[in-house]
Amino acid sequence: MNDRTAPPERRLDRRIPLGCSASILLRSGEVVPAECVELSVSGMTLRAAYVPGQQEVIEVAVASPSDRVDRPPLVTKLQVKRCHALGDGRYEIGGAIVRVVG
């Protein structure tokens, strides 16, 4: 039986592995270095030495995946959906893009 009232599964969006540098821009002005490991139309996965709160909205700047292309970073507001420890002092953060800033 198909439940038509359920929201669409966002994880079905095509995910592109990136492995490029990113930054988490905190409200305090602190910048936390990160790595963007996956990007899709609706979300992204980051690795960083930062533990966000559940449902926290963070600002993330993702650098261009190529050194040969001089492009400004993709800046988004990301709502945290999951976070788990990787065991090396870093955490994998998955979230939904709620707004593209620039």
Side-chain angles (χ1 to χ4, degrees), residues 83-94:
C83 177
H84 67 271
L86 296 173
D88 60 357
R90 294 183 309 149
Y91 297 84
E92 187 167 276
I93 304 162

Side-chain angles (χ1 to χ4, degrees), residues 16 46 85 90:
I16 301 168
L46 303 170
R90 294 183 309 149

Side-chain angles (χ1 to χ4, degrees), residues 21 61-75 102:
S21 63
V62 180
S64 174
S66 172
D67 293 336
R68 296 178 299 239
V69 179
D70 187 25
R71 301 207 50 144
L74 168 68
V75 181

Side-chain angles (χ1 to χ4, degrees), residues 48-60:
Y50 177 71
V51 181
Q54 183 71 13
Q55 302 297 318
E56 179 180 348
V57 176
I58 56 177
E59 189 167 321
V60 178

